Amino acid sequence: MKINKENIESVNKKVAENHLNQFDFLANSLDQKNIDVDKLVSELSDFQVAIPSWALGAGGTRFGRFSFYGEPSSLEQKIEDVGVIHSLTQTAGAISLHIPWDVPEDYNAIKELAAENDLIFDAVNSNTFQDQKNAKESYKFGSLSNVNKPPREQAIAHNIEVVEIGKKLGSKSLTVWLADGSNFPGQNNFQTALKHTEDSLKEIYKNLPEDWKMFIEYKPYEPNFYSTVIQDWGTSFMLANACGEKAYTLVDLGHHLPNTNIEQIVSTLMLKGKLGGFHFNDSKYGDDDSTVGSVKPYSLFLIFNELVYGMRNNPQNPYPAWMIDASHNVKDPLEDLVQSLEAIQEAYAKALLVNQDELKQAQLNNDVVLAQELLQDAYRTDVRPLLAQARLARGGALNPIQAYRSLDVRRSLIEERGRHTVASGL
Amino acid sequence: MKINKENIESVNKKVAENHLNQFDFLANSLDQKNIDVDKLVSELSDFQVAIPSWALGAGGTRFGRFSFYGEPSSLEQKIEDVGVIHSLTQTAGAISLHIPWDVPEDYNAIKELAAENDLIFDAVNSNTFQDQKNAKESYKFGSLSNVNKPPREQAIAHNIEVVEIGKKLGSKSLTVWLADGSNFPGQNNFQTALKHTEDSLKEIYKNLPEDWKMFIEYKPYEPNFYSTVIQDWGTSFMLANACGEKAYTLVDLGHHLPNTNIEQIVSTLMLKGKLGGFHFNDSKYGDDDSTVGSVKPYSLFLIFNELVYGMRNNPQNPYPAWMIDASHNVKDPLEDLVQSLEAIQEAYAKALLVNQDELKQAQLNNDVVLAQELLQDAYRTDVRPLLAQARLARGGALNPIQAYRSLDVRRSLIEERGRHTVASGL
Amino acid sequence: MKINKENIESVNKKVAENHLNQFDFLANSLDQKNIDVDKLVSELSDFQVAIPSWALGAGGTRFGRFSFYGEPSSLEQKIEDVGVIHSLTQTAGAISLHIPWDVPEDYNAIKELAAENDLIFDAVNSNTFQDQKNAKESYKFGSLSNVNKPPREQAIAHNIEVVEIGKKLGSKSLTVWLADGSNFPGQNNFQTALKHTEDSLKEIYKNLPEDWKMFIEYKPYEPNFYSTVIQDWGTSFMLANACGEKAYTLVDLGHHLPNTNIEQIVSTLMLKGKLGGFHFNDSKYGDDDSTVGSVKPYSLFLIFNELVYGMRNNPQNPYPAWMIDASHNVKDPLEDLVQSLEAIQEAYAKALLVNQDELKQAQLNNDVVLAQELLQDAYRTDVRPLLAQARLARGGALNPIQAYRSLDVRRSLIEERGRHTVASGL
Amino acid sequence: MKINKENIESVNKKVAENHLNQFDFLANSLDQKNIDVDKLVSELSDFQVAIPSWALGAGGTRFGRFSFYGEPSSLEQKIEDVGVIHSLTQTAGAISLHIPWDVPEDYNAIKELAAENDLIFDAVNSNTFQDQKNAKESYKFGSLSNVNKPPREQAIAHNIEVVEIGKKLGSKSLTVWLADGSNFPGQNNFQTALKHTEDSLKEIYKNLPEDWKMFIEYKPYEPNFYSTVIQDWGTSFMLANACGEKAYTLVDLGHHLPNTNIEQIVSTLMLKGKLGGFHFNDSKYGDDDSTVGSVKPYSLFLIFNELVYGMRNNPQNPYPAWMIDASHNVKDPLEDLVQSLEAIQEAYAKALLVNQDELKQAQLNNDVVLAQELLQDAYRTDVRPLLAQARLARGGALNPIQAYRSLDVRRSLIEERGRHTVASGL
């Protein structure tokens, strides 16, 4: 299944005039505020978010999983799915693989397929939170932090192997999400677990190619319910510093305790040059992995406000790797991802609209009311015409969800693949 | 200090043309979606929110309070302050008094002053969470729930007196916020406290005029840090049912545990005909009493979506009483209230834009993606021109904050009142 | 696998003398405080907690499940497992079945087996949160609350069938845990979902035998991540009242928002005669389903303090049904359940030690310090000798975990069943 | 008011025999487990906790403050109050002053008075969260982080002055609790605020005597409700590292987001040699400042388990400074502090009882059940006889609360001071 430009153009036609009206009016309004609309649209066009290979099938909870049809059952099909999303949105120009779920058999074929779909390979992800069939050592009681050396060594070797696979695909970074921790007080010695983790990460780091980065993810709980070795940004930051300058913290929006001020964490990490990657999703209760922007869009905007600030003012921080990390229990995964991408671009566009000079001035004057007005002025602006224009500029759909439905993509996928396929992964 | 229409008109002039452009374009767009813009603007114009008398001075925390200048030091000045807000926004047509802070000396004069400022008297509020000078009984260990009869009786009598005062002013409802609870396990017998509370409320209810309502507020914690007698909507609802049909639950946005789904509570209460009143504010951590819409504007929209649904579909529920209940530690209180009113109207306008027919159809089809799109389509719309138009229709300011500043209101207030006045209240 | 009395006696012998010393000393101390130790031990002996059939195998999270050996793979083996626990602890004299996981083939044989193990059948549990193979209707978008009638009818019929199965086994109650809700704003109409739920529950209630009870469980989130139809005790209580006097609220400790005062909810429900059942577990973050007492033992004590108070002072409330509802990712499930039972008995024993007369007097005097001292005096007492004595009185083990290990129970189970069995259920 | 040894001895007499019985029996039991009871009692005797000068009067909330009688109104009286507590408990051998509330007039007299009461001066505390009368600059918009230099300089100078005062009294550490932050998105530039804070702290650090430590406290929110500059341990740790080796993180139990695993933070900080000080209190909802151990005693035990582990195994970490930081709205402050001290000693004693060797072995074996049993075995032990013995050894009261009441201390204080004194401070 591949969506060609002609299909998209024909769908766009029906809404083109209305779009043009809306865009012109908005562009004109922004112009009066001395905003460079062309630049803004071009920044939006350039913003690309990786799709993780495991997000293309229906997810589930510990209480079960409901069936969904036409899921990709091979790496090839996963790439095709991301290709579909990228054709429509023009903002999903990368795929992030999960090893061992996505080990290519024929690297060249896979790279060609990705190129055809205009996709590059983003960070590769290791998996030490599950036991693989025939694995010699179990991760039931931890991987990089395990009290015993053999599982630690197996986990280190696995990460190194993931890097090797990534190298063949052109990836430039490794994401380590360490689920290690404990379910009950007393189970773990915190200090031993932390020291083992630091040593293991350093071992992996040693094997990192010169031009690679290592992203260290943190999470307060789940799958462990009493403690997690890398429980917060402070721990991740400390470990990244211990490893070296190619090691960075990765922020996943869902991985925080209730009420955490995430935007402040983002800001601190960028100031210190240590924000390496970002996983987008949304949540109301815990790590709910909901569609980006579906629950707290204003928080997302505030976070983007810090990201934009950091990208402009913190040369010490590399350009972060962007990825969606959401799960889809009751939606078509592709539609869900399109909604997530839209929400990300929306937050980014609004953050770009913030008048940073006036904001700075208001802050210097302690004019709290004005500072709030400035943020809200940007946030309240309806930026959808800008997003559509950015997609249009690259041949994408003006309205991707409508296009996906008009083109009957899911039906085609089911026809090609059959109904009862199951995506590998969670 | 009173703002006259001419002042406002002169300020409006400078932004009138731009407003008209924006409004026309938006009205045209909405028209194409078959939305009756006139009706919408008129619904917005009709929506009036009460200002509590205690919100007009600088607030504080238990760690102290920073000075602010030109605060109102009498009930008359408080009414004038609300008059200023109402002149500018045309959405603050009521004031909610707190007894004993606001007992009028001359009822007729006060009523005339209110009328001159185009204000009515909304719910009156009793205070049994502090000891008043010369009070015979202390509320240190509770008021309506106290283990001893004399403080219970004093608290009941106080509430009845508040009703008497309210009657003289034309109020039609009494709000009971009961701070009673306990700071430590064992301090209270929960059942005794609940039974005393129910009996006390019934006693007050008996003295309620025929055309009055009693609002029972709930709150999980603070000022008590272990338990609160009326800790949640379930308890308030149970007590309201026990009292009778004139008793209702009052929802204050800040009075919920982390992650509570407040919109669902609102919906349930309206279905059961028991949502009496609403206190607006916002919060990130606890009962922060921040400016409405400053932290979670999408949540506010989702709540308004239920309110609009209920107002249309639940004739069993009376029209709720609306009030802001926020506190202002670092902002000019009047500017803060204007920002709150704007956020309320924005959420209301967006909720009115939701296409309820299509939403219902999407729900019947379990089309979760479309249901989300429909809510987001309304939410993403920039409704500010509608709000400005609704204000304009009644003689208000197109941009109230700018108008307040252009007219140098705070300077005038300081000149009239002096710098170091202190508002009565918290 | 069955543990006989002789085995237990031989294990007890080794620690009998030490136990006797400890018990005598404690009994003597309590005696001096005018506590009737015999009565206390007898109350502890009588306290029996049901084991759910699904708690006997290793659990997991949405990220996977690690293997465990010797799990029961049939209803018969599950009953045997509970029999083992009950032999050792003498406090697990009931099993709670989950349909369709545990439908008996031969009812008489099953009843005989249970009787041999000294077990009765507690509440039966229905399952409408998963789709069963060959089910006509899917619960992906809800069961009792579904917008469509056929899945609602299927779910109602399933519950009625569960009652029929329960009748044949001698159960006297049905537990309805309704996972229904929504993952995204807009997905559900809250009022429609609530009304459907109420109607469905009433339909089930109609089919309840005269001497049965229906327990309505509540939960704020998971598996749904935006809203849950029966989200809190207030909703459950409202629905129970709507159904009738045989319908009750069921409290599961893990099903609350952060910081909820659960003991107050328990107290309110007992005052209103509506606390039907109780699910024990513990948690630090969300619904973690950890071993009872492993995280917040003092909270458990405070809850038991209310349960004891209610059982003594609220004749309007029936004797509640007690059940453990925990999950075991890194422990031997049987050992974990033994630890849970110990923690429950400990909290119960400590609550029985609270001097209610003095506590009441302290409360009447608002002597907060003394009230706390009284609770803490009970809580700080080491009641383990009482628990051991209560087990001993019925032929149980003085130290059940040690006995389980001395008797090498798990090895026997693996030998009998093989290593790689998998328990049916979650 | 001073309690002399004879008074205490006479009160002890009445309960001495019972104590001896209890202690002997427990000592004997522990002896059988190869626990060195003498050493344990001596470790308990040596453990001393500072009392903050501001905790001796009734506290309040932002909703008000209820009166309490006989409060200390001078530094002298505060020292006397701590002297009373220390006489009874023998575990409060230090006082922690708050400047400017407690600036001595006559240093020698104050030092003598402290010595008479067997007290030393612990960390001194600066205050930049309130404006002092006649202060030139306001901290309304921040102190060490303020956008303007003059308030920053004033705050730095104040901290240096606090050190000077501390030097004269024999203090050896400065605690900086920085309330700085923002109430609304946009108010602060996070990076600017953090950089100013780092620079200001370094300036203070420069003025620290060679043998002093600086403790940097963190807190997620309150009094600021959107962001706090030093919001978590990660930020404090980063700043302490930036300042130098005499700078440390200070952990206050109440200063964490819901569900935080505090014991893990403690463990990490000790591993890194950066845990400088500790503020004890308890809380159910936010920073409730409740009596230590009144809500979550098991959490306190788990934290002490890490503290004991760190004190034994982390020579890189200095011996931490211990202080209570609680507030008392409905209790006699002195009784409340005695209850807090008892809870601290209890948790410490239980942590000392943990069999660390067996625990380590269980962890190496991944025997999660046994690890939990080992912690619970210690926690379930009734250690009150050990605490009483430790007090007795130094001439304290066997039961301090009872002694306080028998000796009618509060009545004496009221007689000496009058009823309506008000303690300086919050």
Side-chain angles (χ1 to χ4, degrees), chain A residues 16 21 25-26 92 105 119 156 183 198 213 229 234 263 288 306 314 318 336 399 414:
Chain A
N21 273 341
F25 187 81
L26 177 60
E105 289 180 17
L119 303 176
I156 292 167
N183 276 302
E198 184 173 326
K213 300 193 192 96
V229 178
E263 51 269 33
D288 304 341
E306 298 306 322
N314 300 139
D336 187 301
N399 185 327
I414 293 174

PDB file of all heavy atoms in Angstrom, chain A residues 16 21 25-26 92 105 119 156 183 198 213 229 234 263 288 306 314 318 336 399 414:
ATOM      1  N   ALA A  16      -9.284  22.922  -1.092  1.00  0.00           N
ATOM      2  CA  ALA A  16      -8.186  23.854  -1.365  1.00  0.00           C
ATOM      3  C   ALA A  16      -8.622  25.314  -1.239  1.00  0.00           C
ATOM      4  O   ALA A  16      -7.916  26.143  -0.653  1.00  0.00           O
ATOM      5  CB  ALA A  16      -7.610  23.598  -2.757  1.00  0.00           C
ATOM      6  N   ASN A  21      -8.288  30.593   1.602  1.00  0.00           N
ATOM      7  CA  ASN A  21      -8.935  31.712   2.294  1.00  0.00           C
ATOM      8  C   ASN A  21      -8.449  31.834   3.727  1.00  0.00           C
ATOM      9  O   ASN A  21      -8.076  32.906   4.192  1.00  0.00           O
ATOM     10  CB  ASN A  21     -10.452  31.493   2.349  1.00  0.00           C
ATOM     11  CG  ASN A  21     -11.121  32.026   1.110  1.00  0.00           C
ATOM     12  OD1 ASN A  21     -10.538  32.847   0.399  1.00  0.00           O
ATOM     13  ND2 ASN A  21     -12.333  31.558   0.856  1.00  0.00           N
ATOM     14  N   PHE A  25      -5.962  34.823   5.200  1.00  0.00           N
ATOM     15  CA  PHE A  25      -6.417  35.728   6.250  1.00  0.00           C
ATOM     16  C   PHE A  25      -5.485  35.678   7.458  1.00  0.00           C
ATOM     17  O   PHE A  25      -5.070  36.712   7.998  1.00  0.00           O
ATOM     18  CB  PHE A  25      -7.855  35.394   6.662  1.00  0.00           C
ATOM     19  CG  PHE A  25      -8.421  36.405   7.609  1.00  0.00           C
ATOM     20  CD1 PHE A  25      -8.931  37.610   7.130  1.00  0.00           C
ATOM     21  CD2 PHE A  25      -8.419  36.185   8.979  1.00  0.00           C
ATOM     22  CE1 PHE A  25      -9.434  38.570   8.001  1.00  0.00           C
ATOM     23  CE2 PHE A  25      -8.913  37.144   9.857  1.00  0.00           C
ATOM     24  CZ  PHE A  25      -9.423  38.335   9.367  1.00  0.00           C
ATOM     25  N   LEU A  26      -5.121  34.454   7.840  1.00  0.00           N
ATOM     26  CA  LEU A  26      -4.237  34.313   8.996  1.00  0.00           C
ATOM     27  C   LEU A  26      -2.861  34.913   8.708  1.00  0.00           C
ATOM     28  O   LEU A  26      -2.288  35.633   9.537  1.00  0.00           O
ATOM     29  CB  LEU A  26      -4.113  32.831   9.379  1.00  0.00           C
ATOM     30  CG  LEU A  26      -3.154  32.523  10.520  1.00  0.00           C
ATOM     31  CD1 LEU A  26      -3.559  33.232  11.808  1.00  0.00           C
ATOM     32  CD2 LEU A  26      -3.090  31.008  10.772  1.00  0.00           C
ATOM     33  N   ALA A  92       6.316  12.842   9.233  1.00  0.00           N
ATOM     34  CA  ALA A  92       6.725  11.598   9.880  1.00  0.00           C
ATOM     35  C   ALA A  92       7.817  10.940   9.059  1.00  0.00           C
ATOM     36  O   ALA A  92       7.724   9.774   8.687  1.00  0.00           O
ATOM     37  CB  ALA A  92       5.524  10.667  10.044  1.00  0.00           C
ATOM     38  N   GLU A 105      15.974  -8.778   7.765  1.00  0.00           N
ATOM     39  CA  GLU A 105      16.659  -9.931   7.170  1.00  0.00           C
ATOM     40  C   GLU A 105      17.584  -9.451   6.063  1.00  0.00           C
ATOM     41  O   GLU A 105      18.728  -9.825   5.991  1.00  0.00           O
ATOM     42  CB  GLU A 105      15.629 -10.929   6.646  1.00  0.00           C
ATOM     43  CG  GLU A 105      14.938 -11.619   7.819  1.00  0.00           C
ATOM     44  CD  GLU A 105      13.894 -12.641   7.348  1.00  0.00           C
ATOM     45  OE1 GLU A 105      13.927 -13.038   6.172  1.00  0.00           O
ATOM     46  OE2 GLU A 105      13.058 -13.005   8.197  1.00  0.00           O
ATOM     47  N   LEU A 119      11.772   7.829   4.103  1.00  0.00           N
ATOM     48  CA  LEU A 119      11.974   7.684   5.545  1.00  0.00           C
ATOM     49  C   LEU A 119      13.440   7.421   5.872  1.00  0.00           C
ATOM     50  O   LEU A 119      14.129   6.737   5.126  1.00  0.00           O
ATOM     51  CB  LEU A 119      11.160   6.501   6.089  1.00  0.00           C
ATOM     52  CG  LEU A 119       9.662   6.523   5.851  1.00  0.00           C
ATOM     53  CD1 LEU A 119       9.031   5.229   6.363  1.00  0.00           C
ATOM     54  CD2 LEU A 119       9.033   7.735   6.521  1.00  0.00           C
ATOM     55  N   ILE A 156      23.982  -6.031  28.220  1.00  0.00           N
ATOM     56  CA  ILE A 156      24.976  -5.142  27.599  1.00  0.00           C
ATOM     57  C   ILE A 156      25.226  -5.590  26.155  1.00  0.00           C
ATOM     58  O   ILE A 156      25.201  -4.782  25.218  1.00  0.00           O
ATOM     59  CB  ILE A 156      26.297  -5.158  28.406  1.00  0.00           C
ATOM     60  CG1 ILE A 156      26.084  -4.507  29.775  1.00  0.00           C
ATOM     61  CG2 ILE A 156      27.414  -4.452  27.650  1.00  0.00           C
ATOM     62  CD1 ILE A 156      27.216  -4.747  30.771  1.00  0.00           C
ATOM     63  N   ASN A 183       9.571  -4.427  42.895  1.00  0.00           N
ATOM     64  CA  ASN A 183       8.146  -4.377  43.200  1.00  0.00           C
ATOM     65  C   ASN A 183       7.843  -4.231  44.678  1.00  0.00           C
ATOM     66  O   ASN A 183       6.703  -3.917  45.040  1.00  0.00           O
ATOM     67  CB  ASN A 183       7.464  -5.646  42.663  1.00  0.00           C
ATOM     68  CG  ASN A 183       7.094  -5.509  41.196  1.00  0.00           C
ATOM     69  OD1 ASN A 183       6.351  -4.598  40.841  1.00  0.00           O
ATOM     70  ND2 ASN A 183       7.629  -6.365  40.355  1.00  0.00           N
ATOM     71  N   GLU A 198      25.086   2.059  36.244  1.00  0.00           N
ATOM     72  CA  GLU A 198      26.082   2.993  35.737  1.00  0.00           C
ATOM     73  C   GLU A 198      27.204   2.237  35.017  1.00  0.00           C
ATOM     74  O   GLU A 198      27.605   2.603  33.899  1.00  0.00           O
ATOM     75  CB  GLU A 198      26.656   3.824  36.898  1.00  0.00           C
ATOM     76  CG  GLU A 198      27.640   4.877  36.426  1.00  0.00           C
ATOM     77  CD  GLU A 198      28.084   5.824  37.554  1.00  0.00           C
ATOM     78  OE1 GLU A 198      27.265   6.113  38.450  1.00  0.00           O
ATOM     79  OE2 GLU A 198      29.251   6.258  37.514  1.00  0.00           O
ATOM     80  N   LYS A 213      24.723   9.038  19.472  1.00  0.00           N
ATOM     81  CA  LYS A 213      24.329   9.492  20.811  1.00  0.00           C
ATOM     82  C   LYS A 213      23.636   8.341  21.537  1.00  0.00           C
ATOM     83  O   LYS A 213      23.014   7.477  20.926  1.00  0.00           O
ATOM     84  CB  LYS A 213      23.340  10.662  20.715  1.00  0.00           C
ATOM     85  CG  LYS A 213      23.869  11.886  19.994  1.00  0.00           C
ATOM     86  CD  LYS A 213      22.935  13.071  20.244  1.00  0.00           C
ATOM     87  CE  LYS A 213      23.250  14.232  19.323  1.00  0.00           C
ATOM     88  NZ  LYS A 213      22.369  14.239  18.116  1.00  0.00           N
ATOM     89  N   VAL A 229      15.003   1.975  38.806  1.00  0.00           N
ATOM     90  CA  VAL A 229      16.393   2.410  38.992  1.00  0.00           C
ATOM     91  C   VAL A 229      16.605   3.827  38.468  1.00  0.00           C
ATOM     92  O   VAL A 229      17.160   4.675  39.167  1.00  0.00           O
ATOM     93  CB  VAL A 229      17.370   1.422  38.329  1.00  0.00           C
ATOM     94  CG1 VAL A 229      18.803   1.906  38.494  1.00  0.00           C
ATOM     95  CG2 VAL A 229      17.224   0.030  38.940  1.00  0.00           C
ATOM     96  N   GLY A 234      16.759  13.573  37.236  1.00  0.00           N
ATOM     97  CA  GLY A 234      17.987  13.765  38.006  1.00  0.00           C
ATOM     98  C   GLY A 234      18.902  12.552  37.906  1.00  0.00           C
ATOM     99  O   GLY A 234      20.115  12.670  37.722  1.00  0.00           O
ATOM    100  N   GLU A 263       7.953  21.171  31.702  1.00  0.00           N
ATOM    101  CA  GLU A 263       8.614  22.200  30.889  1.00  0.00           C
ATOM    102  C   GLU A 263       9.860  22.744  31.582  1.00  0.00           C
ATOM    103  O   GLU A 263      10.842  23.086  30.925  1.00  0.00           O
ATOM    104  CB  GLU A 263       7.640  23.332  30.519  1.00  0.00           C
ATOM    105  CG  GLU A 263       6.864  23.948  31.657  1.00  0.00           C
ATOM    106  CD  GLU A 263       5.522  23.266  31.917  1.00  0.00           C
ATOM    107  OE1 GLU A 263       5.421  22.046  31.708  1.00  0.00           O
ATOM    108  OE2 GLU A 263       4.582  23.961  32.357  1.00  0.00           O
ATOM    109  N   ASP A 288      -0.273   6.819  30.482  1.00  0.00           N
ATOM    110  CA  ASP A 288      -1.427   6.313  29.730  1.00  0.00           C
ATOM    111  C   ASP A 288      -1.148   6.141  28.243  1.00  0.00           C
ATOM    112  O   ASP A 288      -1.930   5.507  27.532  1.00  0.00           O
ATOM    113  CB  ASP A 288      -2.630   7.239  29.916  1.00  0.00           C
ATOM    114  CG  ASP A 288      -2.996   7.439  31.380  1.00  0.00           C
ATOM    115  OD1 ASP A 288      -2.578   6.624  32.213  1.00  0.00           O
ATOM    116  OD2 ASP A 288      -3.709   8.400  31.683  1.00  0.00           O
ATOM    117  N   GLU A 306       9.446  25.970  25.684  1.00  0.00           N
ATOM    118  CA  GLU A 306      10.820  25.796  26.191  1.00  0.00           C
ATOM    119  C   GLU A 306      11.722  25.179  25.131  1.00  0.00           C
ATOM    120  O   GLU A 306      12.905  25.518  25.038  1.00  0.00           O
ATOM    121  CB  GLU A 306      10.827  24.929  27.455  1.00  0.00           C
ATOM    122  CG  GLU A 306      10.067  25.513  28.624  1.00  0.00           C
ATOM    123  CD  GLU A 306      10.513  26.919  28.992  1.00  0.00           C
ATOM    124  OE1 GLU A 306      11.723  27.192  28.926  1.00  0.00           O
ATOM    125  OE2 GLU A 306       9.640  27.747  29.323  1.00  0.00           O
ATOM    126  N   ASN A 314      20.268  27.823  23.135  1.00  0.00           N
ATOM    127  CA  ASN A 314      21.187  26.885  23.788  1.00  0.00           C
ATOM    128  C   ASN A 314      21.998  26.101  22.769  1.00  0.00           C
ATOM    129  O   ASN A 314      21.715  24.928  22.512  1.00  0.00           O
ATOM    130  CB  ASN A 314      20.402  25.905  24.678  1.00  0.00           C
ATOM    131  CG  ASN A 314      19.594  26.568  25.784  1.00  0.00           C
ATOM    132  OD1 ASN A 314      18.471  26.183  26.063  1.00  0.00           O
ATOM    133  ND2 ASN A 314      20.149  27.589  26.411  1.00  0.00           N
ATOM    134  N   PRO A 318      22.309  19.671  21.556  1.00  0.00           N
ATOM    135  CA  PRO A 318      22.116  19.229  20.167  1.00  0.00           C
ATOM    136  C   PRO A 318      20.639  19.302  19.795  1.00  0.00           C
ATOM    137  O   PRO A 318      19.768  19.374  20.677  1.00  0.00           O
ATOM    138  CB  PRO A 318      22.583  17.779  20.194  1.00  0.00           C
ATOM    139  CG  PRO A 318      22.347  17.320  21.596  1.00  0.00           C
ATOM    140  CD  PRO A 318      22.614  18.541  22.455  1.00  0.00           C
ATOM    141  N   ASP A 336      -4.733   7.521  14.667  1.00  0.00           N
ATOM    142  CA  ASP A 336      -4.257   8.038  15.944  1.00  0.00           C
ATOM    143  C   ASP A 336      -2.918   8.754  15.773  1.00  0.00           C
ATOM    144  O   ASP A 336      -2.704   9.840  16.327  1.00  0.00           O
ATOM    145  CB  ASP A 336      -4.122   6.863  16.910  1.00  0.00           C
ATOM    146  CG  ASP A 336      -3.799   7.302  18.314  1.00  0.00           C
ATOM    147  OD1 ASP A 336      -2.759   7.960  18.504  1.00  0.00           O
ATOM    148  OD2 ASP A 336      -4.552   6.994  19.235  1.00  0.00           O
ATOM    149  N   ASN A 399      -5.977  17.996   4.820  1.00  0.00           N
ATOM    150  CA  ASN A 399      -6.607  17.417   6.001  1.00  0.00           C
ATOM    151  C   ASN A 399      -6.323  15.924   6.018  1.00  0.00           C
ATOM    152  O   ASN A 399      -7.040  15.138   5.397  1.00  0.00           O
ATOM    153  CB  ASN A 399      -8.118  17.694   5.975  1.00  0.00           C
ATOM    154  CG  ASN A 399      -8.766  17.203   7.253  1.00  0.00           C
ATOM    155  OD1 ASN A 399      -8.337  16.201   7.838  1.00  0.00           O
ATOM    156  ND2 ASN A 399      -9.795  17.903   7.695  1.00  0.00           N
ATOM    157  N   ILE A 414      -6.385  -4.042   4.876  1.00  0.00           N
ATOM    158  CA  ILE A 414      -7.012  -5.319   5.248  1.00  0.00           C
ATOM    159  C   ILE A 414      -7.049  -6.247   4.043  1.00  0.00           C
ATOM    160  O   ILE A 414      -6.751  -7.439   4.137  1.00  0.00           O
ATOM    161  CB  ILE A 414      -8.429  -5.077   5.816  1.00  0.00           C
ATOM    162  CG1 ILE A 414      -8.332  -4.335   7.150  1.00  0.00           C
ATOM    163  CG2 ILE A 414      -9.167  -6.404   5.982  1.00  0.00           C
ATOM    164  CD1 ILE A 414      -9.653  -3.906   7.739  1.00  0.00           C
TER     165      ILE A 414
END
